[in-house]
Amino acid sequence: MNKDRKIEELENSNTQYLDEPRLLLSEMKEHTRCMILKVHGHGGFRHRIMELGFVRGEIVDVVKNAPLLDPVEYRIMGSHVSLRRSEAANIEVVSLEADAHPDNPFNGTIEEHVTHEVEERGKQITVALVGNPNCGKTSFFNFATGLREKVGNYSGVTVSSKTGTFHHEGYTINMVDLPGTYSLTEYTPEELYVREFLTEQKPDIVLNVVDAGNLERNLFLTTQLIDQNPLMLMALNMYDELQRSGSQLDIQQLSAMLGFPIVPTVAKNGTGINDVLGAIVKLYEHQHQITKHIHINYGEDVERCIRQIRTPLDFHEATLAAYCNRYAALKLLEADKSVTETVSALPNSDEILQIAKQCRERLEHEYRNDIATIISDLKYGFIRGALSETFKNGDDQKKQLGYALDVVLTNRWLGIPVLLLFMWLMFQATFTIGAYPQQWIEMGIEWLANLIHGILPAGMLNDLLTDGVISGVGGVLVFLPNILILFFFISLLEDTGYMARAAFIMDKFMHKIGLHGKSFIPYIIGLGCGVPAIMATRTLENPKDRILTILTIPFISCSARLPVYLLFVGAFFPKNQGLVLMGIYLIGVLVAIVTSLIINKVAFKKATDQFVMELPPYRFPTLRNTLIHMWDKSVMYLKKMGTVILLASVIIWALGYFPHSTENVTKQQQVEQSFIGRLGHTVEPVVRPLGFDWKMGVSLCTGLAAKEIIVSTMGVLYGADDSAEGTVALGTKLHEATDSMGTPFFTPLKAFCFLLFILLYFPCIAAITAIGREANWKWAAFTVCYTTMLAWLITFLVWQVGNLII
């Protein structure tokens, strides 16, 4: 495959998946010309207009509008054809007007230019990846595109769409990784998002990724895709697990029964992916032998209802071209809101909706069940029938090996202790293992600072590089190994499947505090970064659960706070570093619990959704995924060092350097008289009751942008100590800092209070922005005020009471 690839993130459902603007025939003005690029739609309508000559590469003249502006008369292949605008909206075109191509690079006609453009764009294939959560879609996407999107062995990893563009066999393939979904109903935002993407964006091919080890459940989504009637194929992923279990599947027979190609794959190592891409090209060129549309037989009673509803719908086939009419009839029978709204705009909508209502009531009376259950049971009946003819189950004991660890990890008595033990090991390893590379980096930074200090003459440039850049950026950079260790453990949680077990273990407790068990997963993700954790709340179906989880995520310590924790815990709690660090994290969890109880009681009802969550089999984490996870985080961290932290360090140094005194003053006196000293003394009355001085107050202010800047600020401010030549470890400087009386300024209590305030106060700007987007800006403003006031109050109580006791 060609390695020339690019990526574009789709931030929301309104983002187009192609760079080029899509022009529709219905948008062309009178007396203009265009060339057909693609024809969308389903069934008879699509075939009829293609028979009239509306095929790719043909030129269409827009003759005139009807007196009421609809329909429109077109000339194609020498014939005059009228189409309603709703029909013409299903034909994608490229304009032949000169003003639409001001940068025409050809010396020939506009028609030659557009013919070339249509030929090029006709070689673009948009493929939508659709599948259940945890079926391996993102792994497939990564191998096919050469990208490095996040993967994990739990549901909800993909919380927004990603598009990768690459080349294969002369075609440009735009592959869209859609969020994992169990169905195409309207139960969750992911389900509705995927369905709207398929109907509105109209991808050329739908690639259904299916977990070969869980065929019956995964094929339920497949039956819904079949109802929609897209051009489709299946990647039967994790096929190696099916083979190891001793099960047998007649792929050719199942493919013939379902009406589309099925290709076995193992996405984690790339097996079969080239075969899938080859099948995509064949499907697009209509050269694949196994391509036919089947109708799932729902039984005589339901099929009769579908025919009754479809009969009046057939008169509006062009208007409903986004849907297959059979699919539209089935959705009306199920009282689907989206399709009902579309049909409500038709002239005879009352008749159609009344027929659907009567059929639905009759079926529910006869089957003594609701319509959703009836249709689901019939779908599973079709699936079981297909598998009974093509699938032979293997050794169940081999399958159960994937769940063998649950005997210990989800045990009634051992589950929670094991979870706490794992968390303690993670924090302790962050210190013990990370201490060695941290010392090496400190030595390198000290050597560099001393080198520059000795080479450059004394003056502003020397001070900028040593006291500003190296003290500021270097003070944060030394914690990179510790952060990588943290993300290594988080990657293990995700890849092995233990993340879902943690949610299972904690569900009852989470339920008692008004949250959902699946809220625990965003909390774990929040150990890395609060922004993806906030986005991961999209997997929670209940809006109340989402908002409560979003509002409490800021109390979960992210990796940006970790450098501050490591700095102060390492300096003032050397004997019990792991326990103290774990205690800080647990305090954040405790505050999140209390916050959830308060908000739940004041603003929301206590009822929550039922806990329904898949527990995937345990899998060995792949070295590739783990290294990619750690590499991506380290790159992000280093980029932050070279941009945000560097800029902040320079600004903080400049505020501490100017106005520069020419008198014989110490560095400490210079900083106090500078702009940053004046700012610090302004905010000092607010933080003095907490035991903080003006330097700590300034550090907290700069931490509003990003919590790492707190370390950078302290590196600059405390780097001005006259007793230190060059750069000494910041922790040592803090430990040796004294007040005006010469007594140690920092005590363990004061250090703990500082950490407590950082844990609880204002999250970073990026997190606030994410809260505003995912909940609303009122909740974002509430978070800013609530967290800051709570941090001040709790820290004040701890400092004052602690001083009385100690």
Side-chain angles (χ1 to χ4, degrees), residues 42 57 68 91 101 103 123 133 157 163 166 186 216 258-259 294 408 411 417 463 523 535 557 611 638 779 803:
H42 294 275
L68 298 179
I91 302 173
H101 305 276
D103 56 345
K123 289 284 187 178
V157 178
T163 299
F166 59 97
E186 297 176 313
E216 185 173 343
L258 297 180
I294 68 166
V408 175
N411 182 273
D463 291 342
Y523 282 177
M535 294 175 65
S557 294
F611 179 74
L638 291 173
W779 285 120
N803 272 324

Side-chain angles (χ1 to χ4, degrees), residues 208-507:
N208 181 206
V209 183
V210 168
D211 179 0
N214 200 349
L215 278 174
E216 185 173 343
R217 209 277 315 288
N218 277 238
L219 287 175
F220 182 82
L221 176 61
T222 305
T223 62
Q224 293 183 321
L225 292 171
I226 290 173
D227 288 335
Q228 285 197 341
N229 188 26
L231 194 59
M232 178 175 164
L233 77 156
M234 178 186 292
L236 191 63
N237 198 30
M238 307 180 194
Y239 191 69
D240 56 335
E241 295 184 8
L242 182 144
Q243 292 177 314
R244 281 198 300 269
S245 70
S247 300
Q248 297 178 356
L249 177 66
D250 190 334
I251 294 178
Q252 290 186 339
Q253 186 179 356
L254 182 62
S255 178
M257 293 176 67
L258 297 180
F260 50 76
I262 299 177
V263 182
T265 62
V266 184
K268 67 181 180 181
N269 59 25
T271 302
I273 289 181
N274 271 333
D275 296 333
V276 173
L277 299 180
I280 287 173
V281 171
K282 284 186 177 180
L283 267 181
Y284 186 73
E285 294 177 340
H286 301 285
Q287 293 180 358
H288 210 291
Q289 296 179 350
I290 308 174
T291 50
K292 64 178 181 179
H293 176 57
I294 68 166
H295 286 170
I296 296 174
N297 192 327
Y298 290 106
E300 184 178 348
D301 296 333
V302 175
E303 290 293 332
R304 185 187 308 114
C305 289
I306 293 175
R307 287 194 298 271
Q308 290 176 1
I309 301 170
R310 181 174 176 176
T311 299
L313 284 177
D314 286 339
F315 292 102
H316 307 284
E317 190 172 21
T319 305
L320 297 172
Y323 304 105
C324 166
N325 271 12
R326 175 181 170 84
Y327 173 77
L330 182 62
K331 290 285 117 181
L332 288 175
L333 184 62
E334 293 179 299
D336 182 87
K337 292 180 181 179
S338 179
V339 178
T340 300
E341 288 176 2
T342 302
V343 171
S344 296
L346 301 177
N348 60 336
S349 61
D350 292 341
E351 174 195 354
I352 298 172
L353 296 178
Q354 183 62 28
I355 294 172
K357 180 181 178 182
Q358 292 173 352
C359 289
R360 183 167 56 253
E361 289 175 349
R362 184 169 67 249
L363 287 174
E364 290 180 341
H365 176 73
E366 291 175 0
Y367 284 80
R368 296 182 180 181
N369 218 328
D370 64 277
I371 190 66
T373 303
I374 295 170
I375 299 298
S376 296
D377 288 344
L378 293 171
K379 283 183 181 292
Y380 275 115
F382 169 82
I383 293 168
R384 293 186 189 104
L387 292 180
S388 67
E389 299 182 30
T390 59
F391 181 71
K392 183 179 179 182
N393 212 343
D395 188 352
D396 287 335
Q397 290 185 350
K398 290 184 179 180
K399 290 185 178 181
Q400 293 305 315
L401 287 176
Y403 296 88
L405 292 176
D406 280 339
V407 174
V408 175
L409 298 183
T410 60
N411 182 273
R412 179 181 179 185
W413 305 109
L414 298 177
I416 293 178
V418 168
L419 176 61
L420 292 175
L421 177 62
F422 182 87
M423 301 298 286
W424 175 81
L425 285 174
M426 178 171 68
F427 295 129
Q428 189 63 43
T430 301
F431 274 106
T432 55
I433 300 176
Y436 299 102
Q438 183 180 349
Q439 290 176 359
W440 302 333
I441 296 175
E442 285 179 349
M443 290 169 60
I445 291 172
E446 183 177 355
W447 173 84
L448 178 62
N450 291 330
L451 176 65
I452 293 176
H453 188 77
I455 293 176
L456 295 178
M460 185 173 70
L461 180 61
N462 191 315
D463 291 342
L464 170 62
L465 293 177
T466 56
D467 295 338
V469 175
I470 297 178
S471 292
V473 176
V476 183
L477 184 62
V478 296
F479 299 108
L480 176 61
N482 309 84
I483 290 176
L484 288 180
I485 292 170
L486 175 68
F487 278 108
F488 169 77
F489 279 94
I490 293 176
S491 179
L492 290 182
L493 282 173
E494 294 175 346
D495 294 347
T496 58
Y498 187 65
M499 187 81 85
R501 269 69 182 187
F504 170 76
I505 292 169
M506 299 300 295
D507 175 64

Side-chain angles (χ1 to χ4, degrees), residues 650-695:
V650 172
I651 292 173
I652 293 163
W653 172 86
L655 291 174
Y657 191 85
F658 297 105
H660 193 67
S661 176
T662 57
E663 299 177 3
N664 187 20
V665 296
T666 65
K667 287 186 177 181
Q668 289 285 14
Q669 291 171 332
Q670 163 62 36
V671 171
E672 282 206 57
Q673 296 169 7
S674 66
F675 291 124
I676 201 168
R678 297 171 190 177
L679 173 63
H681 287 296
T682 301
V683 301
E684 189 174 24
V686 179
V687 298
R688 176 63 67 182
L690 312 180
F692 305 162
D693 68 348
W694 67 269
K695 292 182 182 179

Side-chain angles (χ1 to χ4, degrees), residues 25-26 45 48 69-74 81-91 315-319 347:
L25 181 58
S26 60
F45 160 75
R48 185 166 63 252
L69 303 181
D70 201 14
V72 183
E73 181 183 347
Y74 300 100
V81 179
S82 68
L83 295 177
R84 293 194 185 102
R85 290 187 183 276
S86 59
E87 297 169 333
N90 294 289
I91 302 173
F315 292 102
H316 307 284
E317 190 172 21
T319 305

